Amino acid sequence: MIPFLLRRLVQSIPTLLLASVLIFFVIQLAPGDFLTPARLNPGISPEQLENLSRNFGLDRPVWEQYLRWMGNMLQGDFGLSFQYQQPVLDVVWPRIKNSMWLVLLSTLLFYAIAIPIGVYGAIRQNSLGDKSINVVLYFLLGFPSFFLALIVIYFILLARDATGLDIPVGGMTSNNYDALSAPGRVWDVLKHLIIPAVVLAVSDAAGLTRVIRGQMLEVMRSDYVRTARAKGVSERSVIWKHTFRNGILPIVAGIGGLLPAAISGAGFMEVVFAYPGVTPMLLTAIGTQDLYLIAGFNVITTILLIIGNAISDLLLAVVDPRVKVA
Amino acid sequence: MTITAPTKAPRARGQSQFSVAWSQFRKNRLAQIGGVFLILLYLMAIFGPFLAPDGLSTYSTTNITRFHPPTPIQFRDPETGAFTRPFVYQYGQELNLDTFVNEYRPTDTRCPIYFGVRGDEYRLLGLIPGNIHLFGTGQESPDCNVYLMGGEALGRDLFTRIMYASQISLTIGVGAVLISTVIGLLMGAMAAFFGGIVDTLIMRLVEVLSAIPGLFLLIMLRSVFPQDINPIFALYMILGLLALISWGGLARVTRGQLLSVRELDFVSAAQALGAGNSRIMIRHMLPTMTTYVIVGLSLGIPAAILGESGLSFLGIGAVEPYVSWGSLLAQAQEGGFSSITQRPWVLIPGFFIVFTVMAFQLLGDGLRDAFDPRKRS
């Protein structure tokens, strides 16, 4: 296990380096340099500018600037966000945590929705239930997630006006959050998280459900499933042990690839539900040309993604004994 | 006893892959419905300026009609009950002193609707000038307006805006997928053909592009351009960005396919006949990708349309005065959540997105099945 993780780590270094080069040079393409927006900002003193300019070696050739930027990052210094007047990491980290909660919860729900429905569709192929689920999923595939979210908000607001229930839409905490006890706080955040997470999970699950159904159907026709049935293995075991475990292999292999999509998808939910995650912050950063923030953040997500990919490889080895991790 | 003379069976003619696929496609009713809807949608986009009663950004600066509600078209005279020329009531605004919300109420003034009325000038396809609109209230009474689907934030007619937005929403996605297909094929072919360092570089680039979440990559690329860019340039930019981040998958597949095809007999035969490298590449090897590319195009376009609408929704896509369905939807967010319930009609553009994407998906699934030998019946 550990040698495998080490090997993955070593393999991911070139990708990470290239990604950082790409990010750096894209940012370099912007008119002016890192400090142009800062020079226009009266809140930053000339000494500070001088200091920053020296720190990042803006008078040096481009490749040397890149090395310095990279070197600073290795020491955990992602630069200064001009908009917030704080180190990038301090600005970004709490928001990444917020976004992670949303992504985690919606990913859990995503599988909790997609797997049972996909398996049901395969077992009862062409039944009325299967057909109606298929039609609904086909509709869902065409819905942009933000549009689905807007519709859900519309109906929740109608329901709220009609019943007077306090269903939270938007934000991450209630106004009285600071006054709540610890379990009360968890419950409060969860209440705010659940609606965006469900909307995101449902809008993404349509695709996966169809894949699972297709995979299950394919495996069900194979010889070893027929053999298992002939031997009198219980139906439950045939479906979950023989068929399901083989059917989901390509899906497990793709978990790592799903992560970028899940993070991007969560971005739309954050914007629609005014959730304090990373995407709303990045969108304001475009407006203020807060380039360090954007570049530093992109590097951090790339690292997180590479970790995610390694986890998905590990999972694949757990599900499929034929894949050796060592 | 009768002997039936053997009827002379028509000689079976070899069928090309396309004629087989076409005959399969003809059997798939759903895919055909998708195709017909798409043709209608594109016709709607082309003749949008004619169908719309107003111009792209016509609004009154004196009589501001923010989020004007839809005006139902009346066909009967309310007093006599007889059929009359269709008309809408003119709406008046009044500030509700309890809620401080502007409320619209129909007044007694009637705005008759004329067909083939002259109005704002436009150019169909950018070429054919015209000023005739399918319907409208004419120019005699400037305060008279028909709002088929309500008004938007500046009081412009939402239906008109949707018609104009369809031109952008329907072209950017298609354009982006076409460009990314060309890039993907070229890059994949180059990687397979040159091998070595070029191969490594291109494949690493593909890996890096897929390692950064798409939305954030787009946000980063957008941040390179200044905030107040030329609106036309913004459209090209968004098209280019969408194409730039989505060619990776195709490049990977092309490389794999070409590497395996390179070893096949027909390539050696072409080489033996003295064909040049570029000829072998273009005439012999790349055509083996045709099916994959057709299916990939038809399934990639809906994804690109969704992508464009998402970016425009976030405000990094189409900018004023141009609109796309996504940027129209962004207005649903204006003024906080609670205002959606007062103006549900701002959600209408979203249904156009759903409808278009569904039509493309039906067509794409149909094409995929038509080219798939395992699904033939």
Side-chain angles (χ1 to χ4, degrees), chain A residues 86-99:
Chain A
Q86 273 174 2
V88 165
L89 205 58
D90 293 0
V91 177
V92 165
W93 194 245
R95 290 183 171 255
I96 287 187
K97 270 199 296 191
N98 289 350
S99 289

Side-chain angles (χ1 to χ4, degrees), chain B residues 276-308:
Chain B
N277 277 339
S278 56
R279 185 186 167 84
I280 292 179
M281 199 65 176
I282 293 165
R283 294 296 301 272
H284 298 275
M285 285 167 73
L286 277 179
T288 58
M289 296 287 299
T290 317
T291 315
Y292 185 86
V293 168
I294 290 175
V295 174
L297 274 179
S298 55
L299 293 176
I301 289 172
I305 289 178
L306 285 180
E308 184 275 331

Side-chain angles (χ1 to χ4, degrees), chain B residues 56-111:
Chain B
L56 171 57
S57 51
T58 314
Y59 58 99
S60 157
T61 43
T62 48
N63 177 27
I64 295 160
T65 49
R66 246 177 93 75
F67 295 118
H68 196 290
T71 48
I73 295 176
Q74 316 284 334
F75 292 98
R76 279 169 186 270
D77 195 302
E79 284 139 31
T80 60
F83 280 106
T84 162
R85 172 175 282 284
F87 67 92
V88 294
Y89 286 113
Q90 190 183 330
Y91 277 54
Q93 304 185 52
E94 199 179 321
L95 187 69
N96 184 332
L97 287 175
D98 293 328
T99 56
F100 291 101
V101 175
N102 244 349
E103 283 179 356
Y104 287 90
R105 289 242 170 66
T107 60
D108 285 338
T109 322
R110 287 189 201 171
C111 302

